[in-house]
Amino acid sequence: MREKRLDATERKAIIGVIRYTIFVGIAAWAFLTFIAQKELVDGNSMLPSYKNKESVWVNKLAYKIHDPERFDVIVFSLEDYEGTYLIKRIIGLPGETVMIDKDGVIYINGFPIEDKSGLKLEQISDPGLALHTIKLSENEYFVLGDNRNDSVDSRFELVGNVKKEVIVGKVREKSTKFFKAVK
């Protein structure tokens, strides 16, 4: 029996499908490498904002366009633990001083901070390292979990101040579109 050969139209169609598949693969790779990353929340440190095992999208472009801002929720890598990522809220910005008194009041540059997140967060019972004033360098951020008494964050040596270069990106807010963070 004779083998059927593809005519020019069929060959063009097959080549078109192959090109389209390659294009989609490259576009997906570029999106996940340079623009966005999906992470799974591990633990309760960000309750009530984000629950354990909740998936979040991280906007990796946000901080290439502008600097992180107070109250942004970020994902960053833990410097001494390769492949470990944490999700926390930025409280202190580069160049500021941060202190948490024994009553759980957070001070930025000597003034109590006004939490504008709209969340009803519990009072901090353990100020950790922030019981004494912490001076942030020009590329460091002070972060806290929203579940203030069940969070390993900048108050503790394991995390400490977060350097800008280890910040992966800004967590997409639940009530906004993904690229709203890009101004």
Side-chain angles (χ1 to χ4, degrees), residues 7 24 67 93 101 119 125 136 142 158 162 174 176 180:
D7 66 20
V24 168
D67 288 332
L93 302 172
D101 70 15
L119 302 169
S125 62
L136 300 170
F142 187 90
L158 178 68
V162 176
K174 293 179 182 182
T176 62
K180 184 176 181 187

Side-chain angles (χ1 to χ4, degrees), residues 41-44 46-55 174:
V41 176
D42 184 16
N44 295 316
M46 286 302 291
L47 285 172
S49 302
Y50 300 93
K51 299 177 183 96
N52 185 36
K53 306 291 185 214
E54 182 175 347
S55 290
K174 293 179 182 182

Side-chain angles (χ1 to χ4, degrees), residues 86-120:
L86 298 179
I87 176 174
K88 304 292 176 196
R89 188 175 300 278
I90 293 176
I91 302 299
L93 302 172
E96 294 181 335
T97 60
V98 179
M99 198 269 292
I100 303 172
D101 70 15
K102 62 183 181 349
D103 295 323
V105 178
I106 304 168
Y107 291 85
I108 302 292
N109 295 331
F111 297 96
I113 191 171
E114 192 176 321
D115 188 353
K116 296 178 182 174
S117 68
L119 302 169
K120 293 190 179 352

